[in-house]
Amino acid sequence: MRKWWEAAACVFGTWWIGCVLAFGLVGICQAQPRIQSISSSIQGGAEVVRIDLSEPLITLPTGFVVQMPPRIALDFRGVKSDLAHNSVDLNHGNLRLAQVAQADDRARVVLNLNQATNYRAEIQGRSLLVSLDPVSVAAQSAPGPSRAFAEGGNELALPLRDIDFRRGVENSGRVIVDLVNNQVGVDIRQQGQTLVVEFLRSSLPEGLRRRLDVTDFGTPVQTVTAVQTGDRVRMVIEPKGLWEHSAYQSDNQLVVEVRQQKTSADKLTDGPGYRGEKLSLNFQNIDVRSLLQVIADFTNFNIVTSDTVQGSLTLRLKDVPWDQALDIILQAKSLGMKRSGNVLQIAPKEELAAKEKAELESQAAIRDLEPARTQSFQLNYTKAADIALQLSRAGGGGASGTVGSRGLLSSRGTVIAEPRTNQLFVSDIPSRLNQIQEMIAKLDVPVRQVLIEARIVEATDTFGKSLGVKLGGADLRGIRGGDPGYSIGSGNRLALGANYDAISATTGASGATSLASQMVNLPASGFGGVSPSTFAISLFSSAANRFLNLEISALEADGKGRVVSSPRVVTADQTKALIEQGTEFPYQQATSSGATSIAFRKAVLKLEVTPQITPEGNIILDLDVNKDSPGTAVEGGMSINTKRVKTQVLVENGGTVVIGGIFELTERESENKVPMLGDIPVLGNLFKQKTRQADKQEMLVFITPKMISDRGAVR
């Protein structure tokens, strides 16, 4: 029985030792990979970067492409670097340099390129192979101007998914952008007091085109604004105070972190803002060199003092920043300081100025002796003569001639513009040629184009109302053989009628007419060529041979009209465009010789505009909108009715603004009546005419600019 327990214990111990060894082997197998070497080669016509590691990778590293400057960044999570230097010179084709940066939980490998391109990564054993696409293929995949102008917008633009803001550690602000994939090009740069992030070949949905006010988060970031600018998305981050930023991308997520800049107590500062650690000094006739040594021991800075620094100094300073104390000592002895890293070189100001002058003169002498070489530049979008003029800043020179050596050119440099092939031939020293190449790359870019649409709306509203009467009567007894009128005394009679003919017996057998019988003739007025409606009634007495006529006329007119004119034109940025349509009317004018000649005057619909695209994506428009129409004919010609607005306005891309308008209101009321009789209450309406008229005219001018590279800009 005891032997059985001993055997079981032996088996259990053996099993336990085996488990420990197994787990130890697993731990050894799962050792942390380390980057051992980085090299480049050509395989199958493609440039390949080989990254060798101590252990094979489980998954591919995440990465992203930066267009300006052209780079490819790869993040290796859980990987360390064993390289002796953080930079590896490749200088192979499109490859220039590989840099390795180590963080707490990952290593980042940045491939610096000559031109931006895409890549493919694969794992082969303990190595990672990064294959670069040919530059020509990458250039063909970029959207050209014709694709950007096509209807429906830029089909290659990838939309951003989301833009979010969060507060990080130590009160840092984190802007988080969700991308479609990890191949989106990102360009991050500091512009003044703002941080600009541009996403190339991307589009911004309408829901993300907004301005985020993140002041309440208590971070250096105040606002985050995202706008669509051509075929790219521009995000502007506005921090406050002293700040610094960092950016990294993980899979499809880009994180831009802005944090407060930490200032070291031993950092030298410019100007009156001293921030050094405070110290106290109390010396009598101490040698200046010894005093500088005291400050060097206090600050841990390396101070190199010239042999010409002499003299002694007496000072008493209490709780003064050390950089201020150093400044006081230098000013007291007319000394200057030149800093290189953590080394301070102190010498008299004249000596430092003489050394700096000697260095500059030696550099100038080297430039004069350096051999010059000639380099040609092919221009795509701008004229070679214009670029040559900008490089030299000279007013003379022809399109195919040599321009004076000024501007970016050195004293030995010349530039020749060839208009047939649109090329520049520059002869200068290599350092200046590099500067000229960078300048040409910034100048020779396609100009963005703008579609400007104007809408001129003219509306009219007319209303008129008129009421009038005709009242007449006659005594027919004189016409029918009797005596008209009534007896008044002996031999006198009184007859009533519209006029003498209406009661005279001499009017003829036809009798009195309706026209001859009118006593009140105040009919209603017509509007727009339309006659008023009438209603008449007659009262006739056959026994008395007399009749009475009453005719009422009335008209009410209401009219509305609208004329819409919509000129539109496409032009390049900061280039004037003009479109007009209309008629030219001839008229006579006198010449200097006294004879007459025929001249023409235009009555046109005209849109003249000069757009300017701002860096934020808005558009400034210099506008001149004209809407003419023919007026009345005059002797020797035709009058022109003119409506014009000339202004400058700032409009967001795709927005609509009213740049001007004219409103006219004309109201008229008139009343014609028979004196005294027209003032009788109620019955006075039989002896008067009333007219009321109101005319409204309104003109509005709308302007809508759109960059044609945006989706749906041209329809």
Side-chain angles (χ1 to χ4, degrees):
M1 193 69 176
R2 185 174 181 182
K3 293 182 179 180
W4 180 83
W5 282 106
E6 292 178 354
C10 183
V11 172
F12 180 77
T14 304
W15 174 82
W16 176 257
I17 295 174
C19 290
V20 172
L21 292 176
F23 279 108
L25 292 176
V26 170
I28 295 174
C29 293
Q30 292 182 350
Q32 188 177 32
R34 295 180 176 272
I35 299 176
Q36 296 180 336
S37 64
I38 299 177
S39 60
S40 63
S41 61
I42 299 293
Q43 298 182 9
E47 298 172 337
V48 178
V49 178
R50 184 184 185 92
I51 303 175
D52 296 326
L53 298 98
S54 60
E55 302 294 337
L57 295 175
I58 301 177
T59 59
L60 288 173
T62 60
F64 59 93
V65 179
V66 179
Q67 299 291 330
M68 290 297 294
R71 292 175 180 174
I72 296 176
L74 302 172
D75 285 339
F76 295 80
R77 293 191 176 275
V79 176
K80 298 290 184 179
S81 174
D82 283 345
L83 297 178
H85 302 283
N86 294 332
S87 298
V88 179
D89 292 330
L90 301 177
N91 294 326
H92 192 282
N94 194 24
L95 292 165
R96 294 194 300 110
L97 180 70
Q99 295 177 318
V100 180
Q102 184 67 56
D104 294 337
D105 58 342
R106 65 180 182 274
R108 170 170 290 186
V109 177
V110 179
L111 304 178
N112 295 271
L113 312 176
N114 293 319
Q115 299 184 31
T117 184
N118 295 328
Y119 72 94
R120 298 183 304 276
E122 61 176 336
I123 300 174
Q124 288 189 1
R126 294 188 303 173
S127 301
L128 176 70
L129 301 183
V130 181
S131 303
L132 305 185
D133 292 343
V135 177
S136 58
V137 175
Q140 293 177 2
S141 63
S146 59
R147 296 293 299 274
F149 189 82
E151 183 174 353
N154 186 1
E155 298 177 356
L156 300 179
L158 300 177
L160 302 184
R161 292 181 176 177
D162 191 19
I163 299 177
D164 194 10
F165 182 84
R166 297 177 185 175
R167 180 175 177 178
V169 296
E170 296 183 356
N171 300 331
S172 63
R174 304 179 65 196
V175 182
I176 303 174
V177 183
D178 289 337
L179 308 175
V180 175
N181 53 45
N182 58 1
Q183 301 296 321
V184 178
V186 181
D187 182 16
I188 304 176
R189 65 183 184 274
Q190 184 175 347
Q191 185 172 321
Q193 295 298 323
T194 62
L195 187 64
V196 179
V197 183
E198 289 190 347
F199 302 90
L200 309 182
R201 300 184 221 163
S202 303
S203 62
L204 188 64
E206 290 292 339
L208 299 180
R209 299 186 183 186
R210 61 182 186 268
R211 182 174 182 268
L212 300 178
D213 188 352
V214 294
T215 309
D216 297 339
F217 283 82
T219 68
V221 181
Q222 301 297 297
T223 60
V224 179
T225 306
V227 296
Q228 182 77 44
T229 306
D231 61 345
R232 60 183 62 188
V233 176
R234 176 190 291 262
M235 184 175 66
V236 180
I237 303 174
E238 298 184 10
K240 70 173 182 178
L242 298 176
W243 53 273
E244 56 187 6
H245 75 279
S246 62
Y248 61 90
Q249 185 171 349
S250 175
D251 294 333
N252 301 338
Q253 193 176 77
L254 174 69
V255 179
V256 180
E257 186 172 0
V258 180
R259 55 191 173 273
Q260 201 75 26
Q261 186 176 7
K262 296 182 179 179
T263 57
S264 177
D266 58 354
K267 181 180 179 181
L268 289 177
T269 59
D270 298 331
Y274 301 107
R275 299 188 181 89
E277 186 178 352
K278 294 182 180 181
L279 55 77
S280 297
L281 299 174
N282 189 357
F283 294 102
Q284 292 286 338
N285 293 327
I286 185 174
D287 185 67
V288 174
R289 303 169 67 91
S290 301
L291 184 58
L292 294 176
Q293 183 64 39
V294 171
I295 295 180
D297 295 338
F298 182 81
T299 60
N300 292 326
F301 269 94
N302 301 314
I303 295 182
V304 179
T305 307
S306 174
D307 294 338
T308 56
V309 177
Q310 301 294 335
S312 59
L313 190 66
T314 299
L315 76 164
R316 182 181 184 276
L317 301 177
K318 184 177 181 181
D319 293 337
V320 176
W322 71 263
D323 47 357
Q324 184 179 5
L326 179 61
D327 193 15
I328 293 173
I329 296 171
L330 298 179
Q331 291 181 9
K333 290 299 181 180
S334 299
L335 300 177
M337 179 182 63
K338 184 177 180 181
R339 177 178 176 180
S340 177
N342 64 341
V343 178
L344 302 180
Q345 182 181 356
I346 297 177
K349 295 181 179 179
E350 296 80 5
E351 182 178 341
L352 291 178
K355 289 183 179 180
E356 186 175 359
K357 181 179 179 181
E359 291 178 0
L360 295 177
E361 290 176 351
S362 63
Q363 293 177 4
I366 293 175
R367 287 196 299 266
D368 293 337
L369 298 176
E370 188 177 3
R373 61 185 178 91
T374 302
Q375 183 174 349
S376 63
F377 300 94
Q378 179 66 57
L379 304 181
N380 298 319
Y381 305 102
T382 56
K383 294 182 180 179
D386 297 339
I387 297 296
L389 193 62
Q390 294 178 4
L391 292 177
S392 60
R393 296 180 183 174
S400 59
T402 302
V403 186
S405 56
R406 283 178 288 177
L408 287 180
L409 302 176
S410 66
S411 59
R412 302 165 53 198
T414 57
V415 55
I416 299 176
E418 174 54 50
R420 293 175 301 170
T421 59
N422 201 33
Q423 282 184 309
L424 278 180
F425 297 91
V426 183
S427 178
D428 212 330
I429 59 178
S431 59
R432 290 297 178 95
L433 289 178
N434 294 334
Q435 297 178 11
I436 293 173
Q437 183 175 5
E438 294 177 358
M439 180 61 67
I440 291 178
K442 295 179 180 179
L443 296 177
D444 187 30
V445 295
V447 180
R448 289 177 288 181
Q449 302 182 70
V450 183
L451 168 68
I452 301 99
E453 179 181 0
R455 286 183 179 269
I456 306 172
V457 181
E458 298 176 276
T460 59
D461 187 357
T462 60
F463 176 79
K465 183 170 65 174
S466 180
L467 178 65
V469 297
K470 290 182 180 181
L471 181 63
D475 190 345
L476 302 179
R477 287 179 295 181
I479 299 175
R480 297 181 178 180
D483 295 328
Y486 302 93
S487 309
I488 302 178
S490 175
N492 298 320
R493 300 188 67 84
L494 175 63
L496 299 175
N499 52 38
Y500 177 75
D501 292 335
I503 61 174
S504 175
T506 62
T507 55
S510 61
T513 63
S514 60
L515 294 177
S517 66
Q518 292 179 0
M519 296 179 182
V520 179
N521 186 14
L522 297 174
S525 302
F527 299 107
V530 179
S531 300
S533 300
T534 61
F535 175 77
I537 185 172
S538 296
L539 181 61
F540 180 76
S541 175
S542 58
N545 288 318
R546 288 182 292 272
F547 69 89
L548 182 66
N549 294 327
L550 176 63
E551 179 180 300
I552 301 175
S553 58
L555 176 64
E556 182 174 321
D558 191 3
K560 298 180 184 296
R562 186 177 68 171
V563 178
V564 179
S565 306
S566 181
R568 60 181 66 183
V569 65
V570 176
T571 183
D573 184 21
Q574 301 187 28
T575 302
K576 181 184 292 186
L578 173 66
I579 184 172
E580 62 180 12
Q581 177 188 11
T583 307
E584 292 188 356
F585 294 96
Y587 65 94
Q588 293 183 351
Q589 66 177 4
T591 61
S592 58
S593 62
T596 59
S597 62
I598 300 298
F600 292 88
R601 185 179 179 186
K602 294 182 178 180
V604 296
L605 169 65
K606 182 184 74 173
L607 171 62
E608 182 177 340
V609 59
T610 303
Q612 177 185 348
I613 303 175
T614 64
E616 293 79 11
N618 299 325
I619 303 174
I620 300 175
L621 300 175
D622 287 324
L623 291 163
D624 189 357
V625 183
N626 205 53
K627 178 67 168 64
D628 298 340
S629 60
T632 58
V634 296
E635 184 178 357
M638 175 76 69
S639 64
I640 305 297
N641 299 325
T642 301
K643 299 182 180 68
R644 182 183 180 186
V645 57
K646 185 176 182 180
T647 183
Q648 184 184 80
V649 65
L650 174 64
V651 191
E652 64 179 0
N653 181 30
T656 302
V657 65
V658 180
I659 64 172
I662 299 175
F663 178 78
E664 296 182 10
L665 174 61
T666 303
E667 293 182 340
R668 291 185 295 270
E669 289 189 9
S670 62
E671 181 178 277
N672 301 318
K673 63 182 178 179
V674 178
M676 297 181 65
L677 297 178
D679 297 330
I680 300 175
V682 183
L683 294 179
N685 293 324
L686 299 177
F687 301 96
K688 66 175 62 175
Q689 176 199 47
K690 290 184 178 181
T691 302
R692 180 184 176 188
Q693 188 174 359
D695 296 334
K696 297 179 183 178
Q697 293 184 353
E698 186 175 8
M699 185 190 74
L700 295 175
V701 182
F702 300 85
I703 292 293
T704 303
K706 298 178 182 177
M707 283 186 282
I708 61 176
S709 57
D710 288 345
R711 187 180 303 274
V714 179
R715 291 189 174 91

